[in-house]
Amino acid sequence: MDWFLHRFRGFMVVRLTGYSPERFLNLCNSRGIPIWGLEYRNGGYEFCMTLDGFWQVRPLVRKSQVRLRIKKRVGLPFFLRRNRSRVGFGAGFLLFFILLYGMSLFIWDIKVEGNRKYTYEMITDYLNTREITWGMPKAKIDCEALEASLRDYFPEITWAAARISGTRLLIAVKENEVMSHIPEKDETPCDLVASKPGVVSEIIVRQGKAQVKAGDQVEAGQVLISGSIPIYDDSGQVQSVRQVRADGDVMADTEYAFSQQFPLVHTVEADTGVRKYGLMVKAGKWSAVLLLPSDPEETWVYQTNEYQAKLFSSFYLPFYWGTIMGKEVDRYETFYTKSEIQQVSEGIYQNFVKNLSEKGVQIIENDVKILEDESVCRMEGMLRTKESITQVQRITEPKETENIEYERSGEHD
């Protein structure tokens, strides 16, 4: 404590020489003037004394016929005096640490880990509804309440943990990897009808009565598997009809008309090799860009790499900086070459096939032709495919027994 007080108030290291140094020291002791660190060196005494004490010993110096010489000045008062011309620098240095401490009380970055089904934007949008946003005070965040609210709001999140590290809010979640609930089975009586025309290639009945067989041509809306099952009596007559939810798979050979076109003229960007570089800075909602202006007749493409400032691994600050790289390009229109036409056509066709595959449609055969005129390339043809054509259709009215004619010999297995 004395060490701190001495340096805060200031003290001096002095050298004592003269006729009667012992008398001077005794007088200082009797007057209560503090002296410490007393050492005898090279025919004199060296010791430390306070600034106030130094002014009090002037009469004692004359009375003892000694001489005091200041060797060193130590402490805050002397430091401020030596640097009085740098007050602005010192104030700015102090202000920097005050601002740094102030910013450490807020959240400047939010990180979410473990999320798959729920995107980062979905979770941060929910946080915004709870007024948990970038730039809010850390003291207002209740991590335990936040964890509970995440589990309640997002049904697939089975575990959540929130903690504050530096100026960053870290949220770790674990999503349920199995179904959260088993859907109830729908037992509403229904038929399976054709969703589009085609030739039946395969039929599997799990529940209901087949109305078609492999090789039959069917039209859209035609019943494939009936949910009305006749109940016969001993004489072979239909006694009643039991209605169920028809279930099964019906695969059919179908056709898709393919027709696409694209212009033969396209815009090309040629890199001229000219580059220019710049910087961008951003603080909160304020931003600035340092980049040489471009000629209105020139065309430039820019790429920006942005970084967030941080002092330590988790002490993020609300400041961003980045580099900008621009390259000059020449844009002009030109015709596709033969190889480019083939490449573009193949890309369009493969994208169409991909969309069909995602729907479970298998391509069996294609007959697509590429036709060119002066300005447009057309792709036209038919695709022979294989797919499931079943579609559920609810049985709205029970069918009267007398209006249903079943012939055992004509029933399809």
Side-chain angles (χ1 to χ4, degrees):
M1 187 65 181
D2 291 339
W3 181 90
F4 174 77
L5 290 176
H6 288 157
R7 279 160 178 75
F8 181 75
R9 295 173 181 173
F11 68 91
M12 295 177 294
V13 178
V14 297
R15 179 174 177 80
L16 173 63
T17 56
Y19 176 73
S20 182
E22 291 81 3
R23 184 183 182 189
F24 172 82
L25 295 174
N26 290 331
L27 289 172
C28 289
N29 185 44
S30 63
R31 301 289 177 86
I33 299 175
I35 291 176
W36 68 93
L38 180 64
E39 292 183 1
Y40 183 79
R41 289 183 181 179
N42 301 325
Y45 292 93
E46 292 184 5
F47 54 87
C48 301
M49 64 187 314
T50 63
L51 181 60
D52 293 337
F54 181 79
W55 295 112
Q56 294 176 17
V57 299
R58 282 191 171 187
L60 306 182
V61 169
R62 290 191 297 269
K63 190 174 182 178
S64 304
Q65 298 182 11
V66 293
R67 180 182 177 186
L68 287 180
R69 182 169 62 88
I70 300 174
K71 293 191 63 179
K72 188 176 181 181
R73 295 176 176 86
V74 182
L76 182 62
F78 302 111
F79 175 80
L80 295 178
R81 182 175 179 82
R82 287 194 301 269
N83 295 277
R84 58 184 179 273
S85 61
R86 302 177 182 177
V87 174
F89 173 79
F93 189 72
L94 180 62
L95 180 62
F96 168 76
F97 282 98
I98 293 175
L99 291 176
L100 194 63
Y101 172 75
M103 287 187 293
S104 69
L105 303 177
F106 297 84
I107 292 294
W108 300 116
D109 186 61
I110 298 176
K111 183 179 180 181
V112 181
E113 298 177 339
N115 57 309
R116 294 184 180 180
K117 178 179 179 180
Y118 301 112
T119 63
Y120 177 83
E121 289 73 18
M122 293 172 64
I123 295 179
T124 53
D125 287 345
Y126 169 70
L127 295 179
N128 289 335
T129 63
R130 294 182 54 87
E131 298 183 350
I132 298 177
T133 59
W134 180 89
M136 71 170 297
K138 295 192 295 186
K140 291 187 177 181
I141 300 179
D142 186 342
C143 291
E144 292 185 1
L146 176 59
E147 294 168 2
S149 66
L150 285 171
R151 292 192 297 268
D152 293 339
Y153 187 81
F154 297 100
E156 297 300 326
I157 292 181
T158 58
W159 176 84
R163 65 183 179 92
I164 296 174
S165 176
T167 58
R168 168 183 272 189
L169 174 61
L170 297 173
I171 299 176
V173 299
K174 185 175 182 180
E175 298 175 355
N176 193 1
E177 298 179 355
V178 298
M179 295 179 63
S180 58
H181 66 280
I182 300 175
E184 296 183 2
K185 188 175 181 179
D186 189 356
E187 297 294 348
T188 304
C190 293
D191 294 331
L192 290 183
V193 301
S195 59
K196 62 187 303 182
V199 178
V200 176
S201 60
E202 182 181 354
I203 180 169
I204 299 174
V205 179
R206 285 186 285 271
Q207 184 167 250
K209 188 173 181 63
Q211 302 297 302
V212 295
K213 63 180 184 299
D216 288 353
Q217 173 72 45
V218 297
E219 300 297 330
Q222 181 177 339
V223 177
L224 304 175
I225 302 176
S226 174
S228 299
I229 302 176
I231 306 296
Y232 298 94
D233 57 17
D234 295 339
S235 62
Q237 299 297 319
V238 177
Q239 181 181 6
S240 63
V241 176
R242 183 167 66 93
Q243 293 183 335
V244 298
R245 185 177 183 85
D247 184 22
D249 296 321
V250 180
M251 303 296 293
D253 293 341
T254 57
E255 291 184 344
Y256 281 85
F258 180 75
S259 179
Q260 297 282 348
Q261 68 178 30
F262 60 91
L264 291 176
V265 177
H266 68 293
T267 302
V268 175
E269 290 186 353
D271 189 353
T272 64
V274 180
R275 298 286 188 272
K276 65 178 178 179
Y277 301 89
L279 297 173
M280 61 81 61
V281 291
K282 183 169 67 173
K285 297 182 179 179
W286 178 86
S287 62
V289 175
L290 302 176
L291 187 67
L292 292 176
S294 304
D295 192 308
E297 298 182 355
E298 298 175 347
T299 303
W300 290 82
V301 178
Y302 297 98
Q303 179 181 353
T304 303
N305 296 319
E306 185 178 282
Y307 309 92
Q308 184 174 5
K310 62 178 181 179
L311 294 180
F312 310 105
S313 60
S314 60
F315 198 116
Y316 286 79
L317 299 175
F319 305 111
Y320 298 82
W321 65 276
T323 58
I324 303 173
M325 190 275 286
K327 64 177 181 179
E328 185 185 18
V329 296
D330 283 337
R331 290 178 178 169
Y332 59 91
E333 293 186 344
T334 184
F335 284 91
Y336 283 114
T337 63
K338 290 293 184 181
S339 61
E340 289 174 337
I341 291 175
Q342 188 66 32
Q343 185 177 0
V344 174
S345 301
E346 182 65 20
I348 294 175
Y349 173 75
Q350 291 299 332
N351 186 56
F352 183 79
V353 171
K354 180 182 178 182
N355 292 333
L356 291 180
S357 300
E358 291 175 353
K359 300 176 183 178
V361 180
Q362 304 175 28
I363 307 298
I364 300 176
E365 183 181 349
N366 73 78
D367 182 19
V368 179
K369 297 180 180 180
I370 300 177
L371 306 174
E372 299 180 32
D373 57 22
E374 294 181 356
S375 60
V376 176
C377 177
R378 296 192 307 276
M379 304 170 62
E380 297 179 353
M382 296 295 295
L383 298 179
R384 185 166 172 264
T385 59
K386 182 178 181 180
E387 61 180 308
S388 174
I389 61 170
T390 56
Q391 178 177 299
V392 176
Q393 178 176 282
R394 186 172 181 177
I395 301 176
T396 56
E397 297 181 1
K399 299 179 182 179
E400 297 295 335
T401 304
E402 58 269 23
N403 293 332
I404 303 177
E405 296 182 359
Y406 294 98
E407 296 183 2
R408 291 183 180 272
S409 60
E411 292 174 5
H412 302 292
D413 296 328

